[in-house]
């Protein structure tokens, strides 16, 4: 619930800033109408950047990979004993 409140607070603040820019005419009105679009594009680029950085820094776990392979072998053997065709080894 706290996260939703943070998001709503952020959206209200951005909306207030946008409306104040429309009212004060500090920025030409033709540019001011595009600010929400720029915000969405900027947030999308930021999100893609964070996903890319997360993928580049994703840790490899060789010990966990070995344990996972052992679990797969164990599961295949269990299913073979139950009469299920698990395909080639």
């Amino acid at each position: 619930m706290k996260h939703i409140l943070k998001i709503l607070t952020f959206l209200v603040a951005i909306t207030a800033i946008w409306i104040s820019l429309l009212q004060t005419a500090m920025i030409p009105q033709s540019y001011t109408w595009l600010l929400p679009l720029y915000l969405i594009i900027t947030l999308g680029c930021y999100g893609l950047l964070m996903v890319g950085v997360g993928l580049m820094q994703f840790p490899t776990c060789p010990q966990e990979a070995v344990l996972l392979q052992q679990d797969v072998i164990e599961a295949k053997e269990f299913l073979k004993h139950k009469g299920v065709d698990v395909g080639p080894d």
Side-chain angles (χ1 to χ4, degrees), residues 1-14:
M1 188 68 172
K2 291 180 183 179
H3 191 64
I4 292 172
L5 291 175
K6 287 181 184 178
I7 292 172
L8 288 176
T9 304
F10 178 71
L11 288 176
V12 168
I14 293 297

Side-chain angles (χ1 to χ4, degrees), residues 47-83:
L48 287 174
L49 177 70
M50 290 296 105
V51 168
V53 168
L55 287 174
M56 287 190 297
Q57 295 178 347
F58 190 76
T60 57
C61 305
Q63 298 91 0
E64 295 297 324
V66 170
L67 290 175
L68 181 61
Q69 287 297 326
Q70 290 173 352
D71 287 343
V72 168
I73 292 168
E74 183 181 322
K76 282 184 178 182
E77 290 174 3
F78 175 77
L79 291 173
K80 280 183 187 177
H81 289 296
K82 294 289 183 177

